[in-house]
Amino acid sequence: MIDLLDFSQASIICGLLTVYVLLIKKNALRSFSDYILAAFILSQIWAAILYLLIYTGKIVSVAFLYRTAAPITFLIPPLGYLYVRTVLYNEQKFKRIDMLHLIPFVFFIINYIPFYFSPNEYKLDIITKTIQARTFAIEKQLGIFPETVFYIFRPIQSIIYLLFQWILLFEYKKANPIKMIQDQIKLVIQWLRVFTFANALIILGYVITIPIYLLLKEKFDSKVVHIIPEIILGIGFFSICCYLLIYPQALNGLPFVKYKETQSSLIENETDKVLFIYDDYSNEIKSIENYFKQTKAYLQPNLSISQVAVEAKIPNRDLSYIINNYYEKRFNDYLNEMRLQHFLSKVDTQTLDNYTIEAIALESGFSSKSSFYRAFNRFYACTPSAYFENRFSQ
């Protein structure tokens, strides 16, 4: 029998690691779509934490948190849709009309205001009865509207947004045939498919609760029956997090998505913006090389890709794509190669008489002795001492 407690805890930890990769890890891209994905995952995590508190009975210690996840679950479907849209079209901000996606979230916050401000004793009584009988959570009206509104509207909203996600992917594939798409774009499209499939599983976890309640009402409180939708939901969430931890390069997104204006076929004297993939980034390559040549920014030990993007005036995602695909290196390896070239240009027999190898390495931008030796061995397959012994003996 699967231990739901262990499985949910593993999903939560995996989700937090994914958020770390997205927003906190050194050299994380922190693109607009990454922030949306982090919000999506954190919303899922909060819902999972609240469920665990109820499942274990520990919610009685933090009764004020009960039902706080309910409105937040209405952010998850639109966040999933907006994430797919911003990745496919390299959007950097929300549109005004996107505020409409918040209506269900705001609606259910208002719905539960009377409960949120109710006495703690009342909340504890509700929680106790919910723990004793799961059907009580569905039958007891806590807000302005009956709880059935929540349990019915939630899967309907999820299915609608899931359809929107598939439409986005279908239209993008139609406009950009696979044979014309580069490797990174294939990787991102594959990730978005996995993300959307996982969303479908998450939705199934919510949807299946309704027929279980209607058809097996007398057995609804059984952990064996109740655990089924929770496992399905957990697998979907776990899949999203695991995929990103295994293939973090998918977060680099779609590079150089541009728009060109064409004469509108619908309105006279108007133009339409048509998506296309711009794969000539020679100007950006020159900008990157000139930036490092003029500033020698690689001499900074903690230089981040975001800092280079700002100073070189190249979008973060485009910069990452060029380094990964044109130079075929990770950002840190790209910096370390320049640092090593600088290091070697500074070393001769006279220099080594006055300075240690480690001192020159630190001056060349390496943050520590160990990082220098790892990079040197990675690029030259030997130690610095062996390299110079061979070099100066010739």
Side-chain angles (χ1 to χ4, degrees):
M1 185 70 179
I2 296 176
D3 191 323
L4 179 61
L5 184 60
D6 292 341
F7 185 78
S8 299
Q9 288 175 338
S11 297
I12 291 170
I13 293 171
C14 193
L16 291 173
L17 286 173
T18 304
V19 172
Y20 168 79
V21 171
L22 285 169
L23 303 181
I24 302 173
K25 183 181 178 183
K26 182 181 178 182
N27 296 326
L29 288 178
R30 300 182 187 89
S31 66
F32 182 63
S33 58
D34 289 343
Y35 283 106
I36 296 177
L37 180 57
F40 174 89
I41 293 173
L42 288 173
S43 298
Q44 295 277 19
I45 288 174
W46 187 246
I49 289 174
L50 264 292
Y51 177 79
L52 280 180
L53 289 174
I54 296 171
Y55 182 82
T56 59
K58 294 180 180 179
I59 188 67
V60 294
S61 301
V62 283
F64 63 93
L65 294 180
Y66 186 64
R67 299 307 282 175
T68 57
I72 292 176
T73 59
F74 287 94
L75 288 177
I76 296 171
L79 285 172
Y81 162 76
L82 291 171
Y83 172 69
V84 172
R85 195 187 77 189
T86 55
V87 170
L88 289 178
Y89 297 99
N90 271 356
E91 295 177 357
Q92 299 303 314
K93 61 181 181 179
F94 288 124
K95 303 173 184 177
R96 286 188 178 181
I97 197 171
D98 289 332
M99 296 297 292
L100 295 176
H101 297 295
L102 297 177
I103 290 177
F105 167 70
V106 175
F107 173 85
F108 279 96
I109 282 184
I110 295 173
N111 177 62
Y112 285 118
I113 283 178
F115 177 75
Y116 293 149
F117 286 94
S118 63
N120 194 61
E121 293 77 13
Y122 174 71
K123 292 177 183 176
L124 286 173
D125 180 60
I126 296 295
I127 291 170
T128 302
K129 292 178 180 178
T130 300
I131 294 173
Q132 293 172 350
R134 301 302 175 93
T135 54
F136 184 79
I138 298 176
E139 296 167 351
K140 176 64 177 178
Q141 182 173 334
L142 298 180
I144 302 172
F145 297 93
E147 290 302 294
T148 50
V149 174
F150 171 84
Y151 285 98
I152 292 175
F153 186 70
R154 176 68 176 88
I156 292 175
Q157 183 212 32
S158 300
I159 291 171
I160 291 172
Y161 276 101
L162 182 64
L163 289 175
F164 286 166
Q165 285 180 226
W166 281 119
I167 290 171
L168 283 174
L169 289 168
F170 175 78
E171 290 181 345
Y172 189 88
K173 181 180 178 181
K174 185 178 179 181
N176 300 278
I178 291 296
K179 63 181 180 181
M180 299 173 59
I181 295 179
Q182 303 169 52
D183 290 341
Q184 175 64 17
I185 297 175
K186 289 181 182 178
L187 177 65
V188 173
I189 296 298
Q190 178 62 31
W191 148 240
L192 292 179
R193 286 174 181 165
V194 170
F195 177 77
T196 305
F197 271 120
N199 271 353
L201 277 178
I202 292 170
I203 291 168
L204 179 61
Y206 286 111
V207 171
I208 202 173
T209 304
I210 297 173
I212 287 178
Y213 172 70
L214 295 176
L215 301 176
L216 301 171
K217 187 174 180 179
E218 69 283 356
K219 297 182 179 179
F220 192 74
D221 291 328
S222 169
K223 287 188 176 182
V224 175
V225 174
H226 197 72
I227 201 174
I228 296 174
E230 303 301 335
I231 290 175
I232 294 175
L233 192 150
I235 290 173
F237 180 48
F238 196 75
S239 300
I240 290 174
C241 299
C242 285
Y243 190 92
L244 282 181
L245 293 175
I246 296 172
Y247 301 105
Q249 62 270 35
L251 295 173
N252 291 336
L254 295 173
F256 301 99
V257 175
K258 307 292 183 182
Y259 297 89
K260 58 184 175 183
E261 291 192 349
T262 62
Q263 193 66 32
S264 174
S265 59
L266 299 176
I267 305 176
E268 189 176 354
N269 298 325
E270 291 291 335
T271 58
D272 295 326
K273 287 187 175 182
V274 180
L275 170 73
F276 74 103
I277 298 171
Y278 179 72
D279 56 8
D280 178 14
Y281 35 81
S282 56
N283 290 333
E284 284 81 3
I285 292 170
K286 288 180 182 178
S287 296
I288 294 170
E289 293 179 346
N290 287 337
Y291 166 76
F292 282 110
K293 183 177 180 180
Q294 294 169 7
T295 66
K296 295 185 178 180
Y298 52 82
L299 298 179
Q300 302 175 38
N302 298 314
L303 184 67
S304 69
I305 192 169
S306 299
Q307 183 180 343
V308 174
V310 171
E311 295 180 356
K313 297 180 181 180
I314 298 174
N316 202 323
R317 178 161 284 164
D318 295 351
L319 175 62
S320 176
Y321 175 79
I322 291 173
I323 293 173
N324 280 280
N325 292 272
Y326 178 76
Y327 293 103
E328 297 183 343
K329 295 180 177 68
R330 296 184 305 171
F331 179 70
N332 280 341
D333 291 336
Y334 178 71
L335 291 182
N336 285 339
E337 185 175 24
M338 289 187 288
R339 288 166 177 159
L340 288 172
Q341 291 173 356
H342 179 87
F343 168 80
L344 293 175
S345 69
K346 293 292 184 180
V347 175
D348 53 34
T349 52
Q350 184 175 0
T351 305
L352 291 177
D353 288 338
N354 298 312
Y355 301 96
T356 64
I357 288 177
E358 290 79 6
I360 303 172
L362 293 176
E363 182 193 348
S364 301
F366 288 97
S367 58
S368 66
K369 175 182 175 180
S370 58
S371 64
F372 163 68
Y373 277 99
R374 280 197 306 269
F376 198 97
N377 185 66
R378 182 183 180 90
F379 282 92
Y380 299 106
C382 65
T383 64
S385 299
Y387 178 90
F388 291 126
E389 183 178 349
N390 180 62
R391 174 178 168 178
F392 294 141
S393 65
Q394 295 179 355

